[in-house]
Amino acid sequence: MKGKRLASLLLALLLVLMCCPVLSARAADNGGYSREDIAWYMDGIVSWCAGRLGVSEDAILSAQTAEYAAEGGLDWYALYMYRAGYESDYAAYGSALEDAVSRKYQENGALDRVRASEWHRTGLAATACGGDALAFGTNAAGETINLVADGVYDRGKTEDLGAQGINGLTWGLLMLDSRGYAVPAGAADTRETILTRILSAQTTEGGFSLSGEGVSADLTAMTLQALAPYQNSPHAFTVTDKAKGTAVERTVSEAIELALGALSACQMENGGFGDDGESSESASQVIIALCALGIDPASDARFVKRGGSVLDALLRFAKPDGGFAHTLEKGADGSNAMAGEQALGALTAYMRFKDGLHSLYDLRGEADAETAEAVRALREEIDALAAAGTEPDAATAAELQARYDAIPAGERRYVFNYTYLLRWERALGMDIEEPFYDPAEEAPAAERLDVRTAGEVWSTRFTAAVCAALPSPATLADADTVALLLDKLGDTDSAWRTALLEKETEIAAQRQEVAAINARIAGELFPAEKLGAGDRAALEEVIAEIEALPEADRAYVTGAGGLYAA
């Protein structure tokens, strides 16, 4: 099956590798990621997860894995598999999860003392498994447990919603908006109070972090995911601007633009992200955020650097066993459960974005065909005007606004470029109503839809700069990538397979060269602190051999730092 999945990604990547060692990211126009490519990576993650659990792929969520529900061990997989459309026994896992919630309430009175996100993760997973987050389990008094009330809008009656940091606020808002849950009068928090606190937490750099300073790629991305439903609201919040130290009026759209600028600025030149070194999880969170905002993570110029896009960066973490690694650093462990679940979420978000479906955490039923077409058509018309640099006259702006107003309120968030229309209307002096946008309109949960096979054929233009992902000669750090691509090609007899085999040979040669250097160090120059004048010639020879290696391979030389010190 894998041999048949000959991805256009491979064709593009190998053609670039063979023909153009260095190109501008803007110059690329030869191939892309197809639906089949992305689905291949997703299937690999699910297969790896099943292997780790020792079950078949369709039994990842089942009575066989019910024990994991006690600590939420498969909650994210449940949510992302549901959003991707994988078949599994969601009801069985949901039943075990509900039992676990009841038990925790009956024994401890709550899911957690400080972390409100325990309610948010559990509530999202419960919905994915067919449960009702408003009535999920029973407490010691036999009362029905409301995860939304206890974990979000009434959390403040027992513990501050933001006690664990800004992620308590962002995930609370994501949970609240996942089904458009209403907030009753007298609640400790409302959407407006949560948004005000989030916007007030924006750092001087424009991002978000636990410390309130600097930019955490992960937390900035998660916060953008929560802000996405409000990006079209013209309502201004009174928040504290940390850079100015004063109260300012700021819309969610303005906060989003600041955060996107901060994220773009902290993106690495290879396209990746990370708070403490590059990680796949950071790339995953950024991809989910961009898709929620209607931004293509594979092609938007703000998130394509010389070494590729953030999507390119994430896929570099794919391992031959189908899973995803947390880091690519030498000596790091292989496939990782958290890295895999977040990569599955990111790739599912990307699939849904490309198909014009609801975003990853918008668990309401999909819009009907007429509404979806109205959203698409309006978006395209605004895009055309913006691209041409044409500002509409008052009559045209009013007609566009009327079409926007005719779209059901809960679907207007998917007119991602509505802020252009708002700017034009302001420039024309038109009156704009500015009530707070409250998306509370509790809706039925979405049906499970297999995004791997649904929808039209599409591909994403591939950035030619990804040629840097496999330099010539290939390095030891590229071994997993080459093995993965060879696995995708299977036994097909093609020029692309031949090129990859040449890369494999280059890697083998580099491995032998590094092994020879390590052997010489161990035999002649160890320990480095005991070297004397008589060892100078050998030391200089070995250092010259190390410096002749590709920079990426020098990390595989044992004790190189000690030799330089000597």
PDB file of all heavy atoms in Angstrom, residues 268 270 273-281 313 316-319 324-335 475-481 552-556:
ATOM      1  N   MET A 268      12.531  29.885  12.828  1.00  0.00           N
ATOM      2  CA  MET A 268      13.908  29.577  12.471  1.00  0.00           C
ATOM      3  C   MET A 268      14.088  29.598  10.955  1.00  0.00           C
ATOM      4  O   MET A 268      13.128  29.475  10.197  1.00  0.00           O
ATOM      5  CB  MET A 268      14.290  28.202  13.029  1.00  0.00           C
ATOM      6  CG  MET A 268      14.184  28.112  14.532  1.00  0.00           C
ATOM      7  SD  MET A 268      14.472  26.424  15.151  1.00  0.00           S
ATOM      8  CE  MET A 268      14.245  26.683  16.914  1.00  0.00           C
ATOM      9  N   ASN A 270      15.183  27.419   9.071  1.00  0.00           N
ATOM     10  CA  ASN A 270      14.805  26.157   8.413  1.00  0.00           C
ATOM     11  C   ASN A 270      13.288  25.964   8.389  1.00  0.00           C
ATOM     12  O   ASN A 270      12.800  24.923   7.960  1.00  0.00           O
ATOM     13  CB  ASN A 270      15.478  24.966   9.085  1.00  0.00           C
ATOM     14  CG  ASN A 270      14.979  24.710  10.502  1.00  0.00           C
ATOM     15  OD1 ASN A 270      14.141  25.454  11.028  1.00  0.00           O
ATOM     16  ND2 ASN A 270      15.493  23.679  11.140  1.00  0.00           N
ATOM     17  N   PHE A 273      10.113  25.872  14.560  1.00  0.00           N
ATOM     18  CA  PHE A 273       9.847  26.681  15.747  1.00  0.00           C
ATOM     19  C   PHE A 273      10.281  25.902  16.983  1.00  0.00           C
ATOM     20  O   PHE A 273      10.381  24.669  16.950  1.00  0.00           O
ATOM     21  CB  PHE A 273       8.358  27.001  15.876  1.00  0.00           C
ATOM     22  CG  PHE A 273       7.858  28.044  14.925  1.00  0.00           C
ATOM     23  CD1 PHE A 273       7.394  27.687  13.659  1.00  0.00           C
ATOM     24  CD2 PHE A 273       7.846  29.381  15.285  1.00  0.00           C
ATOM     25  CE1 PHE A 273       6.926  28.645  12.779  1.00  0.00           C
ATOM     26  CE2 PHE A 273       7.377  30.352  14.417  1.00  0.00           C
ATOM     27  CZ  PHE A 273       6.914  29.979  13.156  1.00  0.00           C
ATOM     28  N   GLY A 274      10.486  26.609  18.080  1.00  0.00           N
ATOM     29  CA  GLY A 274      10.787  25.943  19.338  1.00  0.00           C
ATOM     30  C   GLY A 274      11.108  26.954  20.407  1.00  0.00           C
ATOM     31  O   GLY A 274      11.742  27.979  20.132  1.00  0.00           O
ATOM     32  N   ASP A 275      10.656  26.685  21.619  1.00  0.00           N
ATOM     33  CA  ASP A 275      10.946  27.584  22.737  1.00  0.00           C
ATOM     34  C   ASP A 275      12.309  27.311  23.347  1.00  0.00           C
ATOM     35  O   ASP A 275      12.946  28.203  23.887  1.00  0.00           O
ATOM     36  CB  ASP A 275       9.863  27.441  23.806  1.00  0.00           C
ATOM     37  CG  ASP A 275       8.507  27.933  23.323  1.00  0.00           C
ATOM     38  OD1 ASP A 275       8.468  28.681  22.325  1.00  0.00           O
ATOM     39  OD2 ASP A 275       7.488  27.567  23.929  1.00  0.00           O
ATOM     40  N   ASP A 276      12.746  26.064  23.271  1.00  0.00           N
ATOM     41  CA  ASP A 276      14.051  25.681  23.832  1.00  0.00           C
ATOM     42  C   ASP A 276      14.691  24.699  22.862  1.00  0.00           C
ATOM     43  O   ASP A 276      14.868  23.524  23.161  1.00  0.00           O
ATOM     44  CB  ASP A 276      13.856  25.046  25.216  1.00  0.00           C
ATOM     45  CG  ASP A 276      15.184  24.749  25.902  1.00  0.00           C
ATOM     46  OD1 ASP A 276      16.202  25.339  25.494  1.00  0.00           O
ATOM     47  OD2 ASP A 276      15.205  23.912  26.824  1.00  0.00           O
ATOM     48  N   GLY A 277      15.017  25.182  21.681  1.00  0.00           N
ATOM     49  CA  GLY A 277      15.464  24.302  20.621  1.00  0.00           C
ATOM     50  C   GLY A 277      14.271  23.875  19.781  1.00  0.00           C
ATOM     51  O   GLY A 277      13.135  23.849  20.256  1.00  0.00           O
ATOM     52  N   GLU A 278      14.513  23.555  18.534  1.00  0.00           N
ATOM     53  CA  GLU A 278      13.427  23.205  17.622  1.00  0.00           C
ATOM     54  C   GLU A 278      12.695  21.948  18.077  1.00  0.00           C
ATOM     55  O   GLU A 278      13.306  20.977  18.502  1.00  0.00           O
ATOM     56  CB  GLU A 278      13.981  22.993  16.210  1.00  0.00           C
ATOM     57  CG  GLU A 278      12.887  22.763  15.171  1.00  0.00           C
ATOM     58  CD  GLU A 278      13.430  22.490  13.785  1.00  0.00           C
ATOM     59  OE1 GLU A 278      14.663  22.398  13.632  1.00  0.00           O
ATOM     60  OE2 GLU A 278      12.621  22.359  12.848  1.00  0.00           O
ATOM     61  N   SER A 279      11.375  21.969  17.963  1.00  0.00           N
ATOM     62  CA  SER A 279      10.578  20.793  18.310  1.00  0.00           C
ATOM     63  C   SER A 279       9.429  20.637  17.331  1.00  0.00           C
ATOM     64  O   SER A 279       8.952  21.613  16.749  1.00  0.00           O
ATOM     65  CB  SER A 279      10.023  20.900  19.736  1.00  0.00           C
ATOM     66  OG  SER A 279       8.948  21.814  19.792  1.00  0.00           O
ATOM     67  N   SER A 280       8.987  19.403  17.158  1.00  0.00           N
ATOM     68  CA  SER A 280       7.859  19.163  16.256  1.00  0.00           C
ATOM     69  C   SER A 280       6.572  19.721  16.839  1.00  0.00           C
ATOM     70  O   SER A 280       5.693  20.199  16.105  1.00  0.00           O
ATOM     71  CB  SER A 280       7.713  17.669  15.986  1.00  0.00           C
ATOM     72  OG  SER A 280       7.356  16.959  17.162  1.00  0.00           O
ATOM     73  N   GLU A 281       6.434  19.668  18.169  1.00  0.00           N
ATOM     74  CA  GLU A 281       5.207  20.144  18.792  1.00  0.00           C
ATOM     75  C   GLU A 281       4.987  21.639  18.536  1.00  0.00           C
ATOM     76  O   GLU A 281       3.853  22.078  18.326  1.00  0.00           O
ATOM     77  CB  GLU A 281       5.223  19.882  20.301  1.00  0.00           C
ATOM     78  CG  GLU A 281       5.164  18.416  20.678  1.00  0.00           C
ATOM     79  CD  GLU A 281       6.542  17.783  20.843  1.00  0.00           C
ATOM     80  OE1 GLU A 281       7.514  18.298  20.239  1.00  0.00           O
ATOM     81  OE2 GLU A 281       6.659  16.791  21.565  1.00  0.00           O
ATOM     82  N   ALA A 313       8.925  21.956   7.876  1.00  0.00           N
ATOM     83  CA  ALA A 313       9.662  21.718   9.120  1.00  0.00           C
ATOM     84  C   ALA A 313       9.043  20.582   9.919  1.00  0.00           C
ATOM     85  O   ALA A 313       9.753  19.718  10.440  1.00  0.00           O
ATOM     86  CB  ALA A 313       9.712  22.999   9.951  1.00  0.00           C
ATOM     87  N   ARG A 316       9.781  17.034   8.659  1.00  0.00           N
ATOM     88  CA  ARG A 316      11.149  16.537   8.855  1.00  0.00           C
ATOM     89  C   ARG A 316      11.256  15.680  10.110  1.00  0.00           C
ATOM     90  O   ARG A 316      12.227  14.945  10.284  1.00  0.00           O
ATOM     91  CB  ARG A 316      12.130  17.710   8.941  1.00  0.00           C
ATOM     92  CG  ARG A 316      12.462  18.357   7.611  1.00  0.00           C
ATOM     93  CD  ARG A 316      13.753  19.164   7.694  1.00  0.00           C
ATOM     94  NE  ARG A 316      13.638  20.278   8.620  1.00  0.00           N
ATOM     95  CZ  ARG A 316      13.236  21.500   8.269  1.00  0.00           C
ATOM     96  NH1 ARG A 316      12.888  21.760   7.033  1.00  0.00           N
ATOM     97  NH2 ARG A 316      13.178  22.473   9.164  1.00  0.00           N
ATOM     98  N   PHE A 317      10.273  15.782  11.005  1.00  0.00           N
ATOM     99  CA  PHE A 317      10.314  15.012  12.254  1.00  0.00           C
ATOM    100  C   PHE A 317       9.706  13.619  12.095  1.00  0.00           C
ATOM    101  O   PHE A 317       9.696  12.842  13.043  1.00  0.00           O
ATOM    102  CB  PHE A 317       9.570  15.762  13.360  1.00  0.00           C
ATOM    103  CG  PHE A 317      10.296  16.972  13.876  1.00  0.00           C
ATOM    104  CD1 PHE A 317      10.193  18.193  13.228  1.00  0.00           C
ATOM    105  CD2 PHE A 317      11.098  16.889  15.004  1.00  0.00           C
ATOM    106  CE1 PHE A 317      10.871  19.314  13.693  1.00  0.00           C
ATOM    107  CE2 PHE A 317      11.778  17.999  15.483  1.00  0.00           C
ATOM    108  CZ  PHE A 317      11.665  19.216  14.820  1.00  0.00           C
ATOM    109  N   ALA A 318       9.167  13.309  10.919  1.00  0.00           N
ATOM    110  CA  ALA A 318       8.573  11.988  10.690  1.00  0.00           C
ATOM    111  C   ALA A 318       9.654  10.916  10.757  1.00  0.00           C
ATOM    112  O   ALA A 318      10.756  11.084  10.234  1.00  0.00           O
ATOM    113  CB  ALA A 318       7.880  11.958   9.334  1.00  0.00           C
ATOM    114  N   LYS A 319       9.353   9.813  11.404  1.00  0.00           N
ATOM    115  CA  LYS A 319      10.309   8.720  11.575  1.00  0.00           C
ATOM    116  C   LYS A 319       9.912   7.531  10.693  1.00  0.00           C
ATOM    117  O   LYS A 319       8.746   7.386  10.303  1.00  0.00           O
ATOM    118  CB  LYS A 319      10.364   8.278  13.039  1.00  0.00           C
ATOM    119  CG  LYS A 319      10.613   9.406  14.022  1.00  0.00           C
ATOM    120  CD  LYS A 319      11.985  10.031  13.834  1.00  0.00           C
ATOM    121  CE  LYS A 319      13.091   9.172  14.356  1.00  0.00           C
ATOM    122  NZ  LYS A 319      14.407   9.821  14.252  1.00  0.00           N
ATOM    123  N   PHE A 324       6.329  10.441  14.996  1.00  0.00           N
ATOM    124  CA  PHE A 324       7.040  11.709  14.892  1.00  0.00           C
ATOM    125  C   PHE A 324       7.925  11.889  16.118  1.00  0.00           C
ATOM    126  O   PHE A 324       7.549  11.500  17.230  1.00  0.00           O
ATOM    127  CB  PHE A 324       6.060  12.879  14.790  1.00  0.00           C
ATOM    128  CG  PHE A 324       5.634  13.191  13.384  1.00  0.00           C
ATOM    129  CD1 PHE A 324       4.931  12.254  12.631  1.00  0.00           C
ATOM    130  CD2 PHE A 324       5.957  14.395  12.788  1.00  0.00           C
ATOM    131  CE1 PHE A 324       4.542  12.523  11.326  1.00  0.00           C
ATOM    132  CE2 PHE A 324       5.579  14.682  11.484  1.00  0.00           C
ATOM    133  CZ  PHE A 324       4.866  13.741  10.750  1.00  0.00           C
ATOM    134  N   ALA A 325       9.083  12.471  15.915  1.00  0.00           N
ATOM    135  CA  ALA A 325      10.016  12.723  17.005  1.00  0.00           C
ATOM    136  C   ALA A 325       9.722  14.075  17.651  1.00  0.00           C
ATOM    137  O   ALA A 325       9.170  14.971  17.015  1.00  0.00           O
ATOM    138  CB  ALA A 325      11.446  12.705  16.485  1.00  0.00           C
ATOM    139  N   HIS A 326      10.128  14.208  18.896  1.00  0.00           N
ATOM    140  CA  HIS A 326      10.016  15.499  19.588  1.00  0.00           C
ATOM    141  C   HIS A 326      11.093  16.454  19.099  1.00  0.00           C
ATOM    142  O   HIS A 326      10.850  17.636  18.863  1.00  0.00           O
ATOM    143  CB  HIS A 326      10.137  15.271  21.098  1.00  0.00           C
ATOM    144  CG  HIS A 326      10.475  16.499  21.885  1.00  0.00           C
ATOM    145  ND1 HIS A 326       9.622  17.576  21.975  1.00  0.00           N
ATOM    146  CD2 HIS A 326      11.592  16.833  22.595  1.00  0.00           C
ATOM    147  CE1 HIS A 326      10.184  18.513  22.722  1.00  0.00           C
ATOM    148  NE2 HIS A 326      11.369  18.096  23.103  1.00  0.00           N
ATOM    149  N   THR A 327      12.311  15.940  18.943  1.00  0.00           N
ATOM    150  CA  THR A 327      13.439  16.756  18.524  1.00  0.00           C
ATOM    151  C   THR A 327      14.303  15.973  17.548  1.00  0.00           C
ATOM    152  O   THR A 327      14.248  14.740  17.507  1.00  0.00           O
ATOM    153  CB  THR A 327      14.281  17.187  19.740  1.00  0.00           C
ATOM    154  OG1 THR A 327      15.418  17.943  19.302  1.00  0.00           O
ATOM    155  CG2 THR A 327      14.773  15.984  20.522  1.00  0.00           C
ATOM    156  N   LEU A 328      15.111  16.684  16.795  1.00  0.00           N
ATOM    157  CA  LEU A 328      16.016  16.038  15.850  1.00  0.00           C
ATOM    158  C   LEU A 328      17.449  16.027  16.363  1.00  0.00           C
ATOM    159  O   LEU A 328      18.372  15.660  15.640  1.00  0.00           O
ATOM    160  CB  LEU A 328      15.968  16.767  14.493  1.00  0.00           C
ATOM    161  CG  LEU A 328      14.626  16.712  13.765  1.00  0.00           C
ATOM    162  CD1 LEU A 328      14.696  17.511  12.463  1.00  0.00           C
ATOM    163  CD2 LEU A 328      14.225  15.275  13.475  1.00  0.00           C
ATOM    164  N   GLU A 329      17.630  16.427  17.609  1.00  0.00           N
ATOM    165  CA  GLU A 329      18.972  16.482  18.166  1.00  0.00           C
ATOM    166  C   GLU A 329      19.600  15.098  18.251  1.00  0.00           C
ATOM    167  O   GLU A 329      18.903  14.095  18.451  1.00  0.00           O
ATOM    168  CB  GLU A 329      18.941  17.107  19.564  1.00  0.00           C
ATOM    169  CG  GLU A 329      18.551  18.585  19.554  1.00  0.00           C
ATOM    170  CD  GLU A 329      18.513  19.155  20.950  1.00  0.00           C
ATOM    171  OE1 GLU A 329      18.836  18.413  21.891  1.00  0.00           O
ATOM    172  OE2 GLU A 329      18.157  20.334  21.095  1.00  0.00           O
ATOM    173  N   LYS A 330      20.900  15.057  18.094  1.00  0.00           N
ATOM    174  CA  LYS A 330      21.628  13.798  18.188  1.00  0.00           C
ATOM    175  C   LYS A 330      21.379  13.144  19.547  1.00  0.00           C
ATOM    176  O   LYS A 330      21.401  13.784  20.581  1.00  0.00           O
ATOM    177  CB  LYS A 330      23.131  14.044  18.015  1.00  0.00           C
ATOM    178  CG  LYS A 330      23.956  12.776  18.112  1.00  0.00           C
ATOM    179  CD  LYS A 330      25.414  13.094  18.391  1.00  0.00           C
ATOM    180  CE  LYS A 330      26.174  11.825  18.723  1.00  0.00           C
ATOM    181  NZ  LYS A 330      27.546  12.099  19.177  1.00  0.00           N
ATOM    182  N   GLY A 331      21.134  11.834  19.535  1.00  0.00           N
ATOM    183  CA  GLY A 331      20.936  11.097  20.771  1.00  0.00           C
ATOM    184  C   GLY A 331      19.524  11.168  21.301  1.00  0.00           C
ATOM    185  O   GLY A 331      19.202  10.556  22.323  1.00  0.00           O
ATOM    186  N   ALA A 332      18.651  11.928  20.620  1.00  0.00           N
ATOM    187  CA  ALA A 332      17.271  12.040  21.089  1.00  0.00           C
ATOM    188  C   ALA A 332      16.534  10.728  20.843  1.00  0.00           C
ATOM    189  O   ALA A 332      16.903   9.934  19.989  1.00  0.00           O
ATOM    190  CB  ALA A 332      16.563  13.177  20.363  1.00  0.00           C
ATOM    191  N   ASP A 333      15.482  10.518  21.632  1.00  0.00           N
ATOM    192  CA  ASP A 333      14.678   9.315  21.448  1.00  0.00           C
ATOM    193  C   ASP A 333      13.984   9.356  20.095  1.00  0.00           C
ATOM    194  O   ASP A 333      13.917  10.395  19.437  1.00  0.00           O
ATOM    195  CB  ASP A 333      13.635   9.209  22.561  1.00  0.00           C
ATOM    196  CG  ASP A 333      14.293   8.960  23.923  1.00  0.00           C
ATOM    197  OD1 ASP A 333      15.412   8.417  23.924  1.00  0.00           O
ATOM    198  OD2 ASP A 333      13.679   9.310  24.936  1.00  0.00           O
ATOM    199  N   GLY A 334      13.424   8.238  19.693  1.00  0.00           N
ATOM    200  CA  GLY A 334      12.731   8.163  18.412  1.00  0.00           C
ATOM    201  C   GLY A 334      11.334   8.733  18.489  1.00  0.00           C
ATOM    202  O   GLY A 334      11.102   9.786  19.082  1.00  0.00           O
ATOM    203  N   SER A 335      10.371   8.032  17.922  1.00  0.00           N
ATOM    204  CA  SER A 335       8.997   8.518  17.888  1.00  0.00           C
ATOM    205  C   SER A 335       8.463   8.718  19.301  1.00  0.00           C
ATOM    206  O   SER A 335       8.756   7.951  20.209  1.00  0.00           O
ATOM    207  CB  SER A 335       8.115   7.522  17.134  1.00  0.00           C
ATOM    208  OG  SER A 335       8.488   7.471  15.778  1.00  0.00           O
ATOM    209  N   THR A 475      23.786  14.170   5.022  1.00  0.00           N
ATOM    210  CA  THR A 475      24.468  14.026   6.304  1.00  0.00           C
ATOM    211  C   THR A 475      23.811  12.946   7.151  1.00  0.00           C
ATOM    212  O   THR A 475      22.733  12.461   6.828  1.00  0.00           O
ATOM    213  CB  THR A 475      24.443  15.357   7.077  1.00  0.00           C
ATOM    214  OG1 THR A 475      23.097  15.602   7.504  1.00  0.00           O
ATOM    215  CG2 THR A 475      24.907  16.513   6.201  1.00  0.00           C
ATOM    216  N   LEU A 476      24.458  12.600   8.259  1.00  0.00           N
ATOM    217  CA  LEU A 476      23.892  11.593   9.153  1.00  0.00           C
ATOM    218  C   LEU A 476      22.533  12.032   9.699  1.00  0.00           C
ATOM    219  O   LEU A 476      21.671  11.201   9.956  1.00  0.00           O
ATOM    220  CB  LEU A 476      24.861  11.330  10.316  1.00  0.00           C
ATOM    221  CG  LEU A 476      26.236  10.752   9.946  1.00  0.00           C
ATOM    222  CD1 LEU A 476      27.047  10.496  11.201  1.00  0.00           C
ATOM    223  CD2 LEU A 476      26.086   9.474   9.141  1.00  0.00           C
ATOM    224  N   ALA A 477      22.359  13.332   9.851  1.00  0.00           N
ATOM    225  CA  ALA A 477      21.078  13.844  10.354  1.00  0.00           C
ATOM    226  C   ALA A 477      19.943  13.599   9.361  1.00  0.00           C
ATOM    227  O   ALA A 477      18.768  13.663   9.719  1.00  0.00           O
ATOM    228  CB  ALA A 477      21.196  15.340  10.655  1.00  0.00           C
ATOM    229  N   ASP A 478      20.281  13.325   8.096  1.00  0.00           N
ATOM    230  CA  ASP A 478      19.260  13.098   7.067  1.00  0.00           C
ATOM    231  C   ASP A 478      18.876  11.628   6.931  1.00  0.00           C
ATOM    232  O   ASP A 478      18.018  11.290   6.104  1.00  0.00           O
ATOM    233  CB  ASP A 478      19.773  13.579   5.703  1.00  0.00           C
ATOM    234  CG  ASP A 478      20.121  15.048   5.700  1.00  0.00           C
ATOM    235  OD1 ASP A 478      19.329  15.834   6.235  1.00  0.00           O
ATOM    236  OD2 ASP A 478      21.196  15.404   5.177  1.00  0.00           O
ATOM    237  N   ALA A 479      19.493  10.756   7.717  1.00  0.00           N
ATOM    238  CA  ALA A 479      19.291   9.316   7.537  1.00  0.00           C
ATOM    239  C   ALA A 479      17.824   8.914   7.668  1.00  0.00           C
ATOM    240  O   ALA A 479      17.297   8.154   6.842  1.00  0.00           O
ATOM    241  CB  ALA A 479      20.147   8.544   8.540  1.00  0.00           C
ATOM    242  N   ASP A 480      17.153   9.412   8.693  1.00  0.00           N
ATOM    243  CA  ASP A 480      15.749   9.034   8.890  1.00  0.00           C
ATOM    244  C   ASP A 480      14.868   9.542   7.759  1.00  0.00           C
ATOM    245  O   ASP A 480      13.942   8.857   7.310  1.00  0.00           O
ATOM    246  CB  ASP A 480      15.236   9.574  10.230  1.00  0.00           C
ATOM    247  CG  ASP A 480      15.613   8.665  11.397  1.00  0.00           C
ATOM    248  OD1 ASP A 480      16.085   7.549  11.129  1.00  0.00           O
ATOM    249  OD2 ASP A 480      15.437   9.076  12.552  1.00  0.00           O
ATOM    250  N   THR A 481      15.143  10.775   7.289  1.00  0.00           N
ATOM    251  CA  THR A 481      14.347  11.334   6.209  1.00  0.00           C
ATOM    252  C   THR A 481      14.490  10.510   4.938  1.00  0.00           C
ATOM    253  O   THR A 481      13.503  10.199   4.260  1.00  0.00           O
ATOM    254  CB  THR A 481      14.770  12.791   5.936  1.00  0.00           C
ATOM    255  OG1 THR A 481      14.589  13.561   7.121  1.00  0.00           O
ATOM    256  CG2 THR A 481      13.942  13.396   4.812  1.00  0.00           C
ATOM    257  N   ALA A 552      26.675  19.515  10.050  1.00  0.00           N
ATOM    258  CA  ALA A 552      25.678  18.708  10.758  1.00  0.00           C
ATOM    259  C   ALA A 552      26.254  17.414  11.297  1.00  0.00           C
ATOM    260  O   ALA A 552      25.749  16.854  12.281  1.00  0.00           O
ATOM    261  CB  ALA A 552      24.502  18.408   9.834  1.00  0.00           C
ATOM    262  N   ASP A 553      27.320  16.903  10.667  1.00  0.00           N
ATOM    263  CA  ASP A 553      27.893  15.625  11.084  1.00  0.00           C
ATOM    264  C   ASP A 553      28.943  15.772  12.182  1.00  0.00           C
ATOM    265  O   ASP A 553      29.338  14.783  12.808  1.00  0.00           O
ATOM    266  CB  ASP A 553      28.527  14.908   9.881  1.00  0.00           C
ATOM    267  CG  ASP A 553      27.474  14.280   8.985  1.00  0.00           C
ATOM    268  OD1 ASP A 553      26.318  14.192   9.423  1.00  0.00           O
ATOM    269  OD2 ASP A 553      27.817  13.889   7.854  1.00  0.00           O
ATOM    270  N   ARG A 554      29.411  16.976  12.419  1.00  0.00           N
ATOM    271  CA  ARG A 554      30.447  17.172  13.439  1.00  0.00           C
ATOM    272  C   ARG A 554      29.932  16.830  14.827  1.00  0.00           C
ATOM    273  O   ARG A 554      30.696  16.464  15.706  1.00  0.00           O
ATOM    274  CB  ARG A 554      30.948  18.619  13.397  1.00  0.00           C
ATOM    275  CG  ARG A 554      31.646  18.955  12.093  1.00  0.00           C
ATOM    276  CD  ARG A 554      31.998  20.433  12.000  1.00  0.00           C
ATOM    277  NE  ARG A 554      32.337  20.795  10.624  1.00  0.00           N
ATOM    278  CZ  ARG A 554      32.494  22.040  10.196  1.00  0.00           C
ATOM    279  NH1 ARG A 554      32.341  23.048  11.053  1.00  0.00           N
ATOM    280  NH2 ARG A 554      32.791  22.272   8.940  1.00  0.00           N
ATOM    281  N   ALA A 555      28.603  16.947  15.014  1.00  0.00           N
ATOM    282  CA  ALA A 555      28.020  16.625  16.318  1.00  0.00           C
ATOM    283  C   ALA A 555      28.138  15.150  16.641  1.00  0.00           C
ATOM    284  O   ALA A 555      27.998  14.750  17.807  1.00  0.00           O
ATOM    285  CB  ALA A 555      26.547  17.044  16.340  1.00  0.00           C
ATOM    286  N   TYR A 556      28.405  14.321  15.637  1.00  0.00           N
ATOM    287  CA  TYR A 556      28.501  12.873  15.849  1.00  0.00           C
ATOM    288  C   TYR A 556      29.924  12.438  16.185  1.00  0.00           C
ATOM    289  O   TYR A 556      30.177  11.252  16.392  1.00  0.00           O
ATOM    290  CB  TYR A 556      28.013  12.129  14.598  1.00  0.00           C
ATOM    291  CG  TYR A 556      26.540  12.311  14.339  1.00  0.00           C
ATOM    292  CD1 TYR A 556      26.071  13.430  13.653  1.00  0.00           C
ATOM    293  CD2 TYR A 556      25.614  11.385  14.800  1.00  0.00           C
ATOM    294  CE1 TYR A 556      24.712  13.618  13.429  1.00  0.00           C
ATOM    295  CE2 TYR A 556      24.252  11.562  14.579  1.00  0.00           C
ATOM    296  CZ  TYR A 556      23.810  12.685  13.898  1.00  0.00           C
ATOM    297  OH  TYR A 556      22.470  12.863  13.682  1.00  0.00           O
TER     298      TYR A 556
END
